Amino acid sequence: MIVYILETLVFQLVFLLTYDLFLKKETFFQWNRCYLLGTFLLSLVLPWVKLEMLRISMPQELGGVTVFLTQLDGVVLTPHGPETNFWTTLPWYYWVLGVGSIMSALWFGYKLLQILKLKRQGKVVRYPDFVKVTVQRSSLAFSFFRNIFMGAEIQKEKEAKIIAHELVHVKQKHTLDLLFFELARIVFWFNPLVYVYQARVAELHEFIADAHAVKDNKREHFEMLLSEAFKTQHISFVNQFFNKSLIKKRIVMLQKKRSKAIWQLKYVLLLPLVLGMLVYTSCEVKEDNNTGIDNSTPLKSENTIPFGVVDEVPIFPGCEDAVDKRACFQEKMQEHIRKNFRYPAEAQEMGVQGRVSAIFTIDADGAITDIGMRGPHELLEKETERIIARLPQMEPGKHEGRNVKVPFSIPITFRLQGNVENVVSPQRGGIGVPFAVVEEVPVFPGCEDAADKKACFTEKVQEHIRKHFRYPQVAQEQGIQGRVSVIFTIGEDGTIADIRKRGPHELLENEAVRIIERLPQMQPGKQKGKVVEVPFSIPITFKLAGKTSGTSDATRQAKDYIQVAGGLQHGNGSSHYKGKVTDSESLGLPGVNISIQGTEKGAVTDFDGNFAIAVEEGQVLSFQYKGLPTKTIEVTR
């Protein structure tokens, strides 16, 4: 909202400066009238216009929508505070804008009442082209729509000239222009440029009326303007004949020779102005690339090649004879972390937990250098650094036959025992209802009249991602690509909250969060007539054109699979299959749909891939995740 207002102000300022510097002194009055009206409307519309040709294209593999069968996270019980509604959650600045608009609307209504009062009290005479209203004990002279108000104190010999002038306002419907800006002042009461626009248009109206009404008797018109300075009431949307601030300008403009037709080319200036504004609105400003990782984070150069594109990856001790050295490297990394992992005692006492993103470089001699990390607490960051620093010497990576530096990143999750959240089915209650089972799904703007609001929602979310997608420049330079799993909640007020993500690199994760944060406010979901929170998940695939990891797409897809580790557990007279779902890189998969074949029962993995589902021995579990092959498991002891 604030960005839109600022962009509108800047555009209007540029348009007005162009008008005052190049167009105001010309006698192309009708052209200037169109310019002022048109540019004001353009300033309101342009901030919303985006040129697709100026954006980075969306990768072909967007990924689909994960439909939830059960609640994503465990139940969190908190004391109930006072009940909130739409009005209590409305940001304070909306209140300020709303109160200002109400005051402006009341002032507008007061001025309308003034005009109606003058008409009621005046003497009304109707003519074919206008309605003359004579106001007693007044020297007023102005028009409002078809009504021409004339003060009874105006000299009779001047009435005909004034009426001829005001008839131009009536016939050209100048009142509509001023009313348009009066309404704009109600909405944008805080914008001083709206008042400037209105003043410029009112000025033009007088020039236009003078030019039409005074063709053969300019001298008499000059004398009348110079001899009279009528007092007029302060009504901003009427065409006043006598206005002290305009008399001099009108006389100057009446004496001015008609501008040459060649000077109409000045209006061509509007084209580069609009084009420049479109370029500005379409090209998003690059964000600060400082993601919190130390400044030693390696960038691609002649001697630094990303792990995903290097010809020969560094060889972890024990992987010398492995067929797939990339997979072996990653497996050994995981094994090293598990083996050397030690939860800091002080962090346990403080209850500190979370994920630390680590990045380091395998140097051209195979040593570990440039260790950087970012996490929720310094204690966890230091432990991560200790683990990475203990990595063994490796055989360096090679690219085009020579040794190179290879950056590598990996997340390490610290979680205290007993804090693991269980997956809960909707029947057991919770603070949210899964998207797939909620009775009334959240309504995405534009889906209000859709027959299938679920399908419309998923379609609009994918469309939103394509529209706002921007591949991080640093990620492109480092050859970083992969899938980011994103989970978020549509809150009880329809806003987006609790965004969580997991991907191959923090740069891609941050971009995914930026896209989701820009989702519009929606109508909240409802369950049994009550507004509820609704969790939703979607994977976003980042893929660089022409970039591969040394294997074909078909080979990579065959290696990307679902892994399930778990077993059947009995207790309290029921059986549950508990476990964890990961991908081929042993990373937990959030939002995996788990269903029992032949039944309508199901569950879904939480953010770390954990799940629990009530089953019986012999039943078959099906695990589905967009972009990965479906996996089935028969439940046995």
Side-chain angles (χ1 to χ4, degrees):
M1 182 67 172
I2 301 300
V3 174
Y4 170 76
I5 291 173
L6 291 176
E7 289 180 346
T8 301
L9 281 168
V10 171
F11 293 166
Q12 289 176 1
L13 182 61
V14 172
F15 285 136
L16 283 172
L17 286 174
T18 302
Y19 174 79
D20 285 350
L21 291 174
F22 299 102
L23 305 175
K24 185 178 178 180
K25 295 181 181 180
E26 303 298 338
T27 60
F28 308 123
F29 302 133
Q30 294 294 357
W31 283 60
N32 283 352
R33 180 187 179 190
C34 293
Y35 175 90
L36 289 174
L37 292 171
T39 54
F40 184 83
L41 289 172
L42 276 174
S43 70
L44 302 181
V45 174
L46 283 175
W48 301 105
V49 179
K50 310 290 182 184
L51 292 180
E52 294 294 335
M53 67 182 68
L54 298 177
R55 296 181 184 175
I56 298 175
S57 59
M58 180 70 186
Q60 295 178 353
E61 295 182 11
L62 168 65
V65 174
T66 301
V67 179
F68 279 76
L69 299 178
T70 62
Q71 185 178 328
L72 288 179
D73 295 319
V75 178
V76 179
L77 298 176
T78 56
H80 289 288
E83 187 173 347
T84 59
N85 54 38
F86 171 78
W87 300 108
T88 58
T89 58
L90 201 64
W92 65 268
Y93 48 86
Y94 281 108
W95 283 102
V96 174
L97 294 177
V99 171
S101 294
I102 291 172
M103 298 296 293
S104 299
L106 291 174
W107 180 243
F108 174 65
Y110 171 74
K111 290 186 284 188
L112 283 176
L113 289 175
Q114 280 187 294
I115 294 177
L116 292 175
K117 182 179 178 182
L118 287 175
K119 188 171 183 179
R120 271 199 313 269
Q121 295 177 348
K123 180 181 178 182
V124 178
V125 180
R126 300 185 181 278
Y127 295 93
D129 295 329
F130 67 98
V131 176
K132 180 183 176 183
V133 181
T134 303
V135 183
Q136 299 300 322
R137 296 184 300 277
S138 173
S139 56
L140 290 171
F142 68 89
S143 61
F144 182 70
F145 284 112
R146 296 185 71 253
N147 303 288
I148 297 179
F149 292 79
M150 298 287 294
E153 297 178 3
I154 295 178
Q155 298 177 12
K156 296 298 179 183
E157 61 270 17
K158 296 180 179 179
E159 275 193 9
K161 299 182 181 65
I162 295 174
I163 288 176
H165 177 98
E166 296 300 326
L167 268 175
V168 178
H169 294 313
V170 172
K171 292 178 180 179
Q172 296 199 10
K173 297 180 172 59
H174 289 171
T175 302
L176 291 176
D177 297 356
L178 297 179
L179 279 178
F180 167 74
F181 284 107
E182 196 69 22
L183 294 175
R185 282 170 55 171
I186 293 175
V187 180
F188 303 101
W189 58 268
F190 51 86
N191 181 1
L193 297 182
V194 177
Y195 302 83
V196 177
Y197 260 102
Q198 189 180 42
R200 295 288 187 274
V201 169
E203 182 180 270
L204 267 178
H205 288 169
E206 297 308 316
F207 296 160
I208 293 171
D210 285 340
H212 280 76
V214 191
K215 292 185 178 179
D216 301 321
N217 55 349
K218 286 186 179 181
R219 182 175 179 180
E220 294 180 9
H221 201 73
F222 290 156
E223 291 176 353
M224 181 172 61
L225 291 175
L226 290 171
S227 64
E228 299 284 353
F230 291 100
K231 297 178 182 179
T232 57
Q233 297 185 9
H234 185 65
I235 302 176
S236 56
F237 53 84
V238 297
N239 298 109
Q240 303 173 5
F241 181 77
F242 288 105
N243 186 319
K244 293 180 181 179
S245 63
L246 279 178
I247 288 177
K248 181 180 178 181
K249 293 179 181 179
R250 289 167 62 184
I251 292 174
V252 171
M253 195 58 68
L254 280 170
Q255 292 178 316
K256 190 176 181 64
K257 293 182 180 180
R258 292 190 62 182
S259 300
K260 296 180 181 180
I262 188 68
W263 295 121
Q264 289 179 346
L265 291 175
K266 288 183 178 182
Y267 294 95
V268 179
L269 286 171
L270 188 60
L271 295 178
L273 282 179
V274 173
L275 181 59
M277 292 173 184
L278 285 173
V279 170
Y280 169 78
T281 57
S282 300
C283 294
E284 298 180 355
V285 180
K286 288 185 178 180
E287 295 179 353
D288 187 359
N289 289 326
N290 182 9
T291 62
I293 302 294
D294 293 348
N295 292 331
S296 59
T297 301
L299 301 178
K300 184 175 179 181
S301 64
E302 291 183 1
N303 295 320
T304 303
I305 306 297
F307 187 87
V309 298
V310 66
D311 292 341
E312 298 179 32
V313 298
I315 299 177
F316 203 105
C319 293
E320 293 81 0
D321 300 325
V323 177
D324 189 340
K325 290 182 173 57
R326 288 180 193 272
C328 184
F329 180 96
Q330 294 175 344
E331 181 181 342
K332 289 291 186 180
M333 276 295 305
Q334 298 268 353
E335 183 181 325
H336 169 85
I337 293 171
R338 286 192 289 267
K339 179 180 178 181
N340 292 277
F341 182 86
R342 186 183 66 219
Y343 213 120
E346 189 177 351
Q348 295 184 52
E349 294 173 0
M350 296 170 60
V352 177
Q353 58 182 347
R355 186 183 63 185
V356 178
S357 298
I359 187 168
F360 58 90
T361 299
I362 300 99
D363 213 339
D365 59 359
I368 304 301
T369 62
D370 300 330
I371 302 174
M373 75 290 296
R374 186 179 73 173
H377 197 277
E378 185 179 6
L379 290 170
L380 305 188
E381 291 179 344
K382 287 183 177 179
E383 172 61 13
T384 299
E385 184 177 12
R386 186 191 67 81
I387 295 171
I388 300 301
R390 298 188 66 176
L391 282 167
Q393 183 92 5
M394 307 181 192
E395 292 185 26
K398 293 185 178 181
H399 196 76
E400 297 178 354
R402 59 188 178 85
N403 293 356
V404 293
K405 297 179 180 180
V406 179
F408 188 84
S409 64
I410 188 168
I412 301 178
T413 300
F414 293 74
R415 169 158 288 177
L416 294 169
Q417 291 183 357
N419 287 337
V420 178
E421 297 172 341
N422 296 321
V423 179
V424 183
S425 67
Q427 288 77 13
R428 289 172 55 187
I431 59 172
V433 180
F435 185 84
V437 299
V438 68
E439 293 173 356
E440 297 180 37
V441 298
V443 179
F444 201 103
C447 294
E448 292 82 0
D449 301 324
D452 188 343
K453 290 184 171 58
K454 272 190 170 74
C456 185
F457 181 96
T458 56
E459 180 182 342
K460 288 289 186 180
V461 170
Q462 296 206 46
E463 181 182 323
H464 170 87
I465 294 173
R466 294 189 188 95
K467 180 179 179 182
H468 294 90
F469 181 87
R470 184 181 68 225
Y471 213 120
Q473 185 64 34
V474 176
Q476 294 183 58
E477 293 173 356
Q478 295 188 31
I480 300 170
Q481 55 184 347
R483 181 184 63 240
V484 178
S485 298
V486 184
I487 295 177
F488 59 92
T489 300
I490 300 98
E492 293 181 3
D493 59 354
T495 58
I496 305 303
D498 300 330
I499 302 173
R500 305 177 72 185
K501 76 286 184 189
R502 173 176 286 120
H505 196 279
E506 190 172 11
L507 290 170
L508 305 188
E509 290 179 342
N510 290 342
E511 171 61 12
V513 171
R514 185 191 69 83
I515 295 170
I516 299 303
E517 285 178 339
R518 299 187 69 172
L519 282 167
Q521 186 162 358
M522 310 175 193
Q523 294 180 21
K526 292 183 179 181
Q527 183 77 359
K528 297 180 180 179
K530 182 181 178 181
V531 173
V532 293
E533 294 182 348
V534 179
F536 192 81
S537 172
I538 185 168
I540 302 176
T541 301
F542 293 74
K543 184 177 181 182
L544 293 168
K547 296 279 187 179
T548 65
S549 301
T551 57
S552 66
D553 287 343
T555 302
R556 190 187 310 106
Q557 185 174 3
K559 290 184 178 180
D560 202 0
Y561 53 85
I562 291 176
Q563 301 181 92
V564 179
L568 188 62
Q569 299 181 17
H570 301 279
N572 298 325
S574 62
S575 301
H576 286 80
Y577 195 98
K578 295 184 178 180
K580 183 173 183 177
V581 181
T582 60
D583 59 14
S584 58
E585 297 180 359
S586 298
L587 294 175
L589 283 176
V592 175
N593 288 315
I594 308 167
S595 59
I596 303 175
Q597 292 185 3
T599 72
E600 295 182 355
K601 296 180 180 179
V604 68
T605 59
D606 67 7
F607 186 72
D608 294 310
N610 299 311
F611 71 95
I613 184 170
V615 295
E616 296 178 2
E617 189 174 348
Q619 290 182 321
V620 177
L621 296 178
S622 176
F623 298 80
Q624 295 179 324
Y625 190 80
K626 184 65 178 179
L628 298 181
T630 299
K631 185 178 183 64
T632 58
I633 292 178
E634 182 178 357
V635 178
T636 58
R637 289 185 181 275

